[in-house]
Amino acid sequence: MNEKGEERSAEELHTILEEHKNHGKGLIPILLEVQKEFGYLPKEAMKKVAEVLGIRPVDVWGVATFFNQFRLTPLGKNHIKVCMGTACHLAGGRLVLEALERELKIKVGETSDDGHFSLERVACIGCCMLAPVMVIKDKIYPKMSSFKAEESLIPYRQESKPED
Ligand code: FES
């Protein structure tokens, strides 16, 4: 995030917390708003939330790590969603997810060290006839297998490579 982005986010965090003071919002709605603004829950923002709510930072951390809708790291440049709805699960979604974890050397909910890829499991995305399905950025990849999933990463990897 650049300096302007950081400034805007700091202002936005301030607005979210001010609104809490006025409306007495609970921890989870506040964390959801913080995540909407930053794309994840930065440690500094969680500390600030704890301070404003008058609770221990470890309690905010506990909630953030308990619910899997919260992210503790920023999304990668290429965010991958693997559908684990019923149709996709039955058609081998788990194998697709495991292949991506192996290939990218990250677990679900993590971002690669170079920031190029992040991985998430999602519920049904509404195209069950194409199961198992994954999405990279906004592009849907139908009828996936472990091999096809690994192969689908190639253009995104090439796009990420520095030019010679
Ligand atoms: S279960 Fe995957 S698209 Fe519906």
Side-chain angles (χ1 to χ4, degrees):
M1 194 182 293
N2 62 25
E3 206 172 295
K4 263 196 169 156
E6 279 174 24
E7 245 175 58
R8 195 182 64 80
S9 291
E11 278 173 29
E12 190 58 37
L13 178 61
H14 181 74
T15 307
I16 293 168
L17 294 172
E18 277 305 305
E19 202 167 296
H20 155 73
K21 283 182 192 161
N22 296 332
H23 298 100
K25 283 186 180 173
L27 176 59
I28 291 176
I30 293 174
L31 291 181
L32 286 171
E33 281 185 49
V34 171
Q35 180 163 277
K36 192 172 160 198
E37 172 59 24
F38 292 85
Y40 75 110
L41 297 176
K43 276 188 190 150
E44 282 312 309
M46 286 197 281
K47 276 189 202 163
K48 193 81 188 157
V49 169
E51 192 184 304
V52 169
L53 292 180
I55 58 178
R56 297 176 312 161
V58 71
D59 294 329
V60 176
W61 178 260
V63 169
T65 53
F66 181 79
F67 294 103
N68 60 12
Q69 79 259 40
F70 292 121
R71 290 189 58 81
L72 303 174
T73 52
L75 292 181
K77 187 175 162 208
N78 302 296
H79 184 55
I80 305 173
K81 297 178 199 164
V82 179
C83 180
M84 290 301 286
T86 307
C88 288
H89 182 72
L90 291 175
R94 162 63 50 200
L95 297 175
V96 171
L97 193 62
E98 286 170 0
L100 290 168
E101 285 182 332
R102 266 195 316 274
E103 190 62 23
L104 297 170
K105 297 179 178 57
I106 56 174
K107 296 282 176 201
V108 169
E110 292 180 349
T111 301
S112 59
D113 289 342
D114 60 8
H116 288 308
F117 293 99
S118 51
L119 188 60
E120 181 184 8
R121 59 180 285 164
V122 293
C124 179
I125 57 169
C127 45
C128 310
M129 295 294 285
L130 305 175
V133 172
M134 71 177 201
V135 179
I136 304 183
K137 291 181 168 176
D138 288 325
K139 184 175 177 191
I140 294 176
Y141 289 81
K143 306 228 178 254
M144 283 290 106
S145 64
S146 305
F147 177 72
K148 283 166 79 179
E150 289 169 15
E151 211 178 38
S152 304
L153 299 176
I154 295 170
Y156 298 96
R157 284 194 155 134
Q158 284 169 346
E159 171 186 294
S160 311
K161 272 189 192 166
E163 299 204 1
D164 296 325

